[in-house]
Amino acid sequence: MSISTLARSIAASPTLALNEEARLLRERGEAVIHLGIGEPKNRAPMTAILSAAAKLNTGDIKYTPTDGIPSLKKAVVRYTEENYDRVVAPENVIVSAGAKQSIFNILYSILNPQDEVIILAPYWVSYPEMVKMCYGVPVIVTPEDGGFYPRLQEIERAVSSSTKAIIVNTPNNPSGVVFSEDTIAQIVALCERKGIYMIADDIYHKLVFDGAHAPPALKYTTKDIESTKIIVVNGVSKLYGMTGFRIGWAIANKKLVEVMTNVQSQITSCASPFLQVGAEGALNGLQGIVESLRLTIENNRNVVTQELGAFTGVRCVKPQGTFYCLPDFSAYNRDSIALSKFLLKKALVVTVPGKEFGMEGHLRLSYAGSLKDVTDGVARMKWALDPNSPNEIYIGDKKMVRDWM
Ligand code: PMP
């Protein structure tokens, strides 16, 4: 086949593939519940919609500077000062078509072939594939205790002379845990000692519960933005429910931003102008929207963890952030892909197999949807798997009887 070996080795994003599968089932009239989806249900903030619409109405929709429109970069600079207590210059900011593109752009700009990137399991599905796409080598560090919190000794053991970077995502997709201040401080110190980049994927940084706080990496370095190797990634997708705007950004030293800008100029030229203006509207508008989303999600989290607590044999670490949890279903099936398929077939519930995140035996459930979807979804899963649950259930208007136990 005349297709590149590397391209052929890249797996499809399993979450996007599941979105498509759920959409097709819904189109066929099936009463699917989607607990796989990584996006909140709320409408985009009004300030984002009005700003984007006003820009669109001008009819003047042209290329923008590659690194982003100056007014959005200014809003990002202010956001960084307010949330990270760091004054950065516009030249430290590059806007991309989503945090996903920011991360790819960073990896492409720092990696030489065969450079290693440490990824902490459980990890976001795209990291290893992106590293491979940049001819790098993903090095996965899995906590030996089977938990979700990385240990410094385990990370340190994975560092080699080829290590170029470590990616740290807290609050964490898929586990929902928030790493401690100590952990972040230790990773920052390790990176500084070894001269490696720390890519801090902060896309969920304000979606935290029970008064928790996601410690920002930049707080633990005394170096200024030009000399630190910490790169911060953020965006409007998750906190403002603006996944379809596709606006994210990276904060890094000016030299790296310049290189990333050259790279981006050869790929997408720039993010879409009216979507950039929309993101600016969200960042400059009332921030109560983020808090109300956080409260809704926290309530969903409470319900989902309570329901999972009453699921025979399932163990769930209570998430402190994001809109995901990663319960252990190995009592039912160690093969998470098979289990996820079974749940889709029997109960019409979409879940994401833990294997995709480097945690076999687990399933990632999203509680970003409506409370009804969350409760009905878990009830259906119980019906499909848990012999202690009622034998009958309604799926849509169909009464279903469990006959396989
Ligand atoms: N990082 C993590 C950990 C994510 O979960 C996601 C989205 N699922 C992204 C980055 C990418 O977000 P964006 O929509 O801004 O590309």
Side-chain angles (χ1 to χ4, degrees), residues 148-159:
F148 299 151
Y149 294 94
R151 298 248 177 82
L152 185 70
Q153 300 88 311
E154 290 167 4
I155 301 173
E156 218 160 1
R157 250 185 274 139
V159 176

Side-chain angles (χ1 to χ4, degrees), residues 274-296:
F274 65 94
L275 300 173
Q276 290 190 59
V277 171
E280 186 188 333
L283 294 183
N284 289 340
L286 291 174
Q287 298 303 296
I289 187 138
V290 178
E291 179 58 8
S292 73
L293 175 67
R294 194 196 67 74
L295 283 169
T296 309

Side-chain angles (χ1 to χ4, degrees), residues 148-149 171-178 207 209 317-326 367:
F148 299 151
Y149 294 94
N172 181 263
N173 175 8
S175 69
V177 305
V178 176
L207 280 180
F209 318 131
V317 174
K318 193 174 186 181
Q320 287 174 292
T322 72
F323 28 66
Y324 310 107
C325 57
L326 191 65
Y367 43 91

Side-chain angles (χ1 to χ4, degrees), residues 15 38-39 97-103 123-127 130 169 171-174 201-204 233-238 242-244 246-249 323-324 364:
T15 41
E39 57 188 356
K100 201 175 214 173
Q101 196 196 8
S102 306
I103 297 167
Y123 48 77
W124 182 41
V125 287
S126 296
Y127 298 147
M130 286 192 194
N169 171 225
N172 181 263
N173 175 8
D201 180 349
D202 282 5
I203 194 87
Y204 299 97
V233 176
N234 218 323
V236 293
S237 282
K238 312 289 177 171
M242 290 170 62
T243 47
R246 311 303 310 123
I247 300 292
W249 59 82
F323 28 66
Y324 310 107
R364 190 192 75 174

